[in-house]
Amino acid sequence: MRKRIIILCMLLMSLIMLGACGNSEDKAGGSSNGGSSKKGKTFKIGATQIVEHPSLDQAYKGFQEALKDAGLDVEFDLQSAQGEQNNVKPIADNFVADSVDLIFANSTASTLGALQATDQIPIVFTSVSDPVGAGIVEAMDQPGDNITGVVDLHPEAIKETVQFIDKYFNGANVGLIYNAGEQNSVSQIDTVKEAAEGTSLTLTERTVANTSEVQQATMTIASEVDVLYIVTDNMVVSALDSVVGVAEDQKIPLIVGEPDSLEKGGFATFGIDYIKIGYRTGEMAVEILKGEKDPSDIPVEYPEEIKLIINKEAAEKQGVKWHDEWDELAEFLETNE
């Protein structure tokens, strides 16, 4: 009897030891299966933009589409600085505190804020016109250790726009309204000045510090200029309705920097597709999140193409003299009216 008890005890101890080994194997198997675990991970992305307006919103939409098409499980946290520079850094700091996996920076100001907040978390940017001049990267082919992205200004866009104005509005005084505190805008205005050298055009500038000043600046400059040219300045574009109103009242052609401003009443642009640059930025993010590349391995890119787009309805409201060759050269904004 005693012998049987001893044997049963030994069997019971063996079963317990086998169970323990089985559990440790399960745990080891779970931890060693890093690939499938990462594949099923939910990534957390902080998205920051300086203000809400159509171009930035389209870029964010394209970015989200790229992540969705890649099949990644992502939680997005979109934060807008509402046009206030002082809100930019705290937004980025909160993303760092939340330990997001990646930051999507949508504008020059938002990108600079993210860079100030972290040199560890990967950052991908777009809606930045001059990342080198803004100090975001050293060169297009030399992104930082934790940052890369897609610019929103084709290298020929401003030159093409100035040539367009010079050809069809020869001798015009061109009005430029922009936020002198936005490096993105200052860089573009410098390029406009350079492109205008040797042409028939003269330039008149007005700067604004907030959106409430845009209408007054436009009304002041309207009596002096023949054409208005609004670059992709986030502050002015977010208040573009007031510029359009003056342009229509005073019959001044309004040239804009991107297609979404056409929908708000601009007459013509050599523009890019913001959904496409957002999507391309999203593809970069996918490579980074999957561990296939580091940001430093991905050069900063320009948009692939630009195109002349004209809003015929705006042209009529702004008293633009029509040129038949535009029917062949341009694409036209589709309106519902």
Side-chain angles (χ1 to χ4, degrees), residues 245-259:
V246 174
E248 292 178 355
D249 289 342
Q250 302 296 322
K251 302 300 180 187
I252 303 173
L254 173 60
I255 312 293
V256 292
E258 32 75 35

Side-chain angles (χ1 to χ4, degrees), residues 162-170 200-201 323 325 329:
V162 171
Q163 290 177 347
F164 175 85
I165 299 172
D166 186 40
K167 180 175 181 178
Y168 296 108
F169 304 91
N170 191 263
S200 67
L201 307 175
H323 294 264
E325 59 193 280
L329 295 176

Side-chain angles (χ1 to χ4, degrees), residues 26-152:
D26 287 344
K27 290 178 181 178
S31 61
S32 66
N33 191 18
S36 61
S37 176
K38 187 170 184 179
K39 184 177 180 181
K41 176 179 177 179
T42 297
F43 295 99
K44 193 171 184 178
I45 294 180
T48 172
Q49 61 187 60
I50 185 64
V51 73
E52 296 170 83
H53 69 65
S55 296
L56 299 184
D57 296 343
Q58 290 290 296
Y60 179 54
K61 179 180 179 181
F63 178 78
Q64 288 182 298
E65 288 179 358
L67 275 293
K68 180 180 179 181
D69 289 348
L72 296 187
D73 187 4
V74 178
E75 291 181 359
F76 295 95
D77 182 6
L78 173 63
Q79 298 289 328
S80 169
Q82 302 298 324
E84 295 293 335
Q85 183 66 42
N86 291 336
N87 294 336
V88 171
K89 180 67 161 44
I91 289 173
D93 287 339
N94 287 336
F95 289 154
V96 175
D98 290 342
S99 299
V100 298
D101 296 294
L102 181 139
I103 296 175
F104 171 61
N106 197 10
S107 75
T108 300
S110 300
T111 303
L112 288 170
L115 265 180
Q116 291 170 6
T118 180
D119 59 2
Q120 300 294 319
I121 297 173
I123 302 167
V124 291
F125 66 79
T126 194
S127 306
V128 172
S129 298
D130 185 11
V132 177
I136 293 169
V137 297
E138 290 187 14
M140 296 289 286
D141 60 351
Q142 297 178 40
D145 291 338
N146 71 318
I147 189 165
T148 190
V150 182
V151 302
D152 69 345

Side-chain angles (χ1 to χ4, degrees), residues 185-254:
S185 304
V186 173
S187 173
Q188 291 182 76
I189 295 300
D190 288 343
T191 305
V192 172
K193 293 176 181 178
E194 182 180 346
E197 291 178 2
T199 70
S200 67
L201 307 175
T202 56
L203 307 176
T204 298
E205 303 173 42
R206 290 289 186 279
T207 60
V208 295
N210 53 63
T211 54
S212 64
E213 296 179 3
V214 173
Q215 184 172 23
Q216 184 59 46
T218 309
M219 292 175 66
T220 301
I221 205 174
S223 61
E224 305 175 40
V225 302
D226 307 296
V227 175
L228 287 167
Y229 177 21
I230 303 300
V231 297
T232 57
D233 180 287
N234 291 306
M235 184 173 291
V236 179
V237 170
S238 66
L240 193 66
D241 288 344
S242 59
V243 181
V244 171
V246 174
E248 292 178 355
D249 289 342
Q250 302 296 322
K251 302 300 180 187
I252 303 173
L254 173 60

